[in-house]
Amino acid sequence: MKKKLSLKLLLTLSVMLLVATLALAYSILSAHFFIRGLDTLTSAYMEKELIKLHENQLVIPEHGYITSNDFLIARNWEDFPVNITQHSPPQTWNTLEKFDDGNWFVTPENIVFAMHYNQQQDPIWIVHTLAKSETSSLVKHNAGQAKQILFIFGITALALIGLIIWLLNRQVTRPINSLWMWAQSMKETKNLNTAIPEFKYPELNKMAYLIRESIQTVHNAVEREHQFLRHTSHELRTPISVIRSNIELFRKLESKSSDNTRPYLPMVDRIDRASLTMKHLTETLLWLNKDDLSELPANSFRLGDAVNSLAQDMEYLLKNKPVSISLNTDGTTAHLPEIATRIVIGNLIRNAFQHTWDGDIHIKQSGHTLIISNNLTTEDQGDDLGFGLGLQLTQRLTHKFGWPYDAQKQKGQYTVEVTFSSP
């Protein structure tokens, strides 16, 4: 499974990326305006030099150029040296143009500043060149010092930002961790009605309130279901016991009486079968209500004997049905909660017998695994709920015990397989 990014790490990375982006943007913007400021200062010096020459009425020749205070001045672009004329002349009046051989990562060796200046209808070219090799040691020293200051400032800013992020994470994650630990404690029923602690932030307090309300709602619903099943199953036991005992009494009396009771035997048989079904369902419901199944007593018994005995007890469900049974068991001895195991086996066999109207039923017990397969009728094939309440309760019971359970419908057959693994 793909590992997910934690909220804390995501927040840290997001803030760091935002800060790095802002720092880079402002650094580029600062460098741009710094260079632009120097260019503006250079153009101002050029203009000042031309004004000075005009005031002094210095004559500029028609061909060639003159030099004044490191500025080259000429009437034609082609009159400048080759290192200048190799660049295309500026096309805009009174605007500084700059040519260099560097880029973002390489310092230029030579820079050419050029301006086509038009003063009193007297257009003149003025050029200033700057070579890296001719830069004074003082300028280099100041440039290096500026880089050091920029580096120190950057490191300090990153350190402060990292400290702020750490403090922010601590202030946010600690209440969240407290909320998580408190939510974990809500698993205990005794903590459901305790007061909600203060989690520093209103949003977390609202979340804690919703968590407790949700857990209480679920707990109350589950508790109502348990009480209903517990009371219903216990209340059913009494009339079922009365019915079973009276049926046994009737059969004893019938064996000693005359033939006058014979017409009532089919009705008694139906009552007997219905009471057995209710008895099995009631036992299953009672076992589902047990909170801790791991503490149930286990004993050793033969699984095959339990399967044979239960199949024999359920044969009344196949009365008057053209159904044949294939029963294969072995002598495997299991150490399991016997009553729960017999309830599961009984439910599976009863559902197979009850919902099979013709054909074959195959029951095979091998080791700790039981497989039951029976034919499907047209009505059963269209039933998405399976084979009734018995199988649904069996699935829940096997799930609580951790017994592997599988049920499949295919090619007109319904097959269930369960493995009674030892605890």
Side-chain angles (χ1 to χ4, degrees):
M1 185 174 62
K2 185 177 180 181
K3 187 176 181 180
K4 295 183 179 179
L5 194 65
S6 67
L7 182 61
K8 179 179 179 180
L9 183 58
L10 178 62
L11 179 63
T12 302
L13 293 178
S14 300
V15 175
M16 290 297 293
L17 180 60
L18 176 62
V19 170
T21 303
L22 290 176
L24 180 61
Y26 277 109
S27 298
I28 295 174
L29 192 63
S30 300
H32 171 74
F33 281 107
F34 176 74
I35 298 299
R36 188 170 181 179
L38 293 178
D39 293 345
T40 302
L41 185 61
T42 301
S43 63
Y45 279 126
M46 287 181 170
E47 185 179 13
K48 184 177 180 181
E49 186 65 25
L50 291 176
I51 294 173
K52 181 179 178 181
L53 291 176
H54 186 268
E55 291 175 351
N56 294 333
Q57 298 181 351
L58 182 64
V59 179
I60 302 173
E62 292 294 331
H63 300 285
Y65 64 91
I66 63 174
T67 302
S68 176
N69 294 329
D70 292 333
F71 294 102
L72 305 182
I73 305 171
R75 293 189 179 277
N76 301 300
W77 180 260
E78 294 78 9
D79 293 335
F80 289 115
V82 178
N83 64 323
I84 297 175
T85 57
Q86 65 179 347
H87 303 289
S88 300
Q91 302 297 321
T92 307
W93 294 88
N94 303 333
T95 302
L96 181 69
E97 295 286 345
K98 183 170 61 175
F99 311 100
D100 60 64
D101 53 1
N103 53 46
W104 281 97
F105 306 101
V106 178
T107 304
E109 296 292 334
N110 296 281
I111 303 177
V112 177
F113 299 93
M115 180 188 296
H116 196 188
Y117 192 75
N118 186 10
Q119 184 181 28
Q120 298 179 356
Q121 304 302 320
D122 185 19
I124 299 174
W125 290 97
I126 181 169
V127 174
H128 175 65
T129 59
L130 183 63
K132 182 179 179 181
S133 59
E134 298 176 357
T135 304
S136 65
S137 58
L138 179 61
V139 173
K140 292 181 180 179
H141 173 73
N142 290 338
Q145 196 174 43
K147 290 181 180 179
Q148 291 180 356
I149 293 174
L150 181 63
F151 178 77
I152 294 173
F153 176 80
I155 294 298
T156 304
L158 287 177
L160 289 175
I161 292 170
L163 178 61
I164 293 173
I165 293 175
W166 179 77
L167 292 174
L168 179 62
N169 280 332
R170 186 177 181 183
Q171 292 297 318
V172 173
T173 56
R174 290 180 70 179
I176 292 178
N177 288 335
S178 299
L179 175 62
W180 179 82
M181 294 178 64
W182 173 81
Q184 287 288 105
S185 68
M186 288 293 100
K187 291 181 179 180
E188 300 292 336
T189 306
K190 62 182 180 181
N191 296 329
L192 289 177
N193 296 320
T194 58
I196 300 177
E198 178 68 28
F199 291 107
K200 191 175 183 179
Y201 300 110
E203 295 80 3
L204 296 182
N205 292 331
K206 292 179 181 179
M207 186 177 295
Y209 176 79
L210 290 176
I211 290 174
R212 190 180 70 171
E213 290 297 313
S214 300
I215 294 177
Q216 285 181 338
T217 301
V218 173
H219 173 75
N220 292 336
V222 173
E223 185 62 27
R224 285 195 300 270
E225 179 185 359
H226 283 178
Q227 288 182 358
F228 172 77
L229 292 177
R230 191 179 301 113
H231 295 162
T232 302
S233 56
H234 279 290
E235 290 297 328
L236 285 175
R237 270 190 164 185
T238 300
I240 290 173
S241 299
V242 173
I243 294 172
R244 297 295 304 162
S245 60
N246 280 275
I247 289 174
E248 293 177 2
L249 178 60
F250 179 85
R251 293 191 184 282
K252 290 180 181 179
L253 294 176
E254 183 271 335
S255 62
K256 300 178 181 180
S257 63
S258 61
D259 294 338
N260 295 333
T261 58
R262 296 292 180 183
Y264 302 103
L265 290 180
M267 291 182 288
V268 174
D269 290 338
R270 287 196 294 270
I271 296 173
D272 190 15
R273 292 194 294 269
S275 64
L276 282 174
T277 300
M278 290 298 297
K279 178 176 180 293
H280 292 148
L281 288 176
T282 303
E283 290 177 349
T284 304
L285 290 173
L286 286 173
W287 279 80
L288 284 174
N289 276 294
K290 291 185 179 296
D291 295 327
D292 191 1
L293 297 178
S294 61
E295 297 182 358
L296 296 176
N299 59 287
S300 298
F301 63 97
R302 295 170 63 127
L303 275 176
D305 293 344
V307 173
N308 291 324
S309 174
L310 290 168
Q312 185 177 359
D313 293 341
M314 303 292 177
E315 284 184 354
Y316 69 90
L317 294 170
L318 299 177
K319 189 176 182 180
N320 300 324
K321 292 181 181 180
V323 177
S324 61
I325 303 175
S326 172
L327 184 59
N328 295 313
T329 59
D330 60 23
T332 300
T333 300
H335 188 75
L336 298 166
E338 185 175 359
I339 298 178
T341 306
R342 292 180 66 89
I343 288 175
V344 171
I345 297 174
N347 274 323
L348 295 177
I349 295 176
R350 186 178 70 255
N351 278 277
F353 286 7
Q354 182 177 354
H355 293 273
T356 302
W357 300 98
D358 55 49
D360 302 322
I361 297 177
H362 300 278
I363 303 175
K364 181 180 180 181
Q365 174 266 320
S366 178
H368 287 75
T369 301
L370 174 65
I371 301 176
I372 301 177
S373 178
N374 61 286
N375 293 336
L376 289 174
T377 64
T378 304
E379 180 181 357
D380 290 329
Q381 292 183 33
D383 185 8
D384 293 334
L385 296 178
F387 276 171
L389 179 62
L391 282 185
Q392 295 183 30
L393 296 178
T394 300
Q395 291 175 6
R396 294 177 59 182
L397 193 58
T398 54
H399 177 72
K400 294 188 74 170
F401 275 102
W403 293 338
Y405 177 87
D406 181 61
Q408 294 183 357
K409 288 182 182 181
Q410 57 182 359
K411 297 180 180 180
Q413 291 282 323
Y414 188 85
T415 304
V416 294
E417 178 178 347
V418 60
T419 300
F420 300 97
S421 55
S422 299

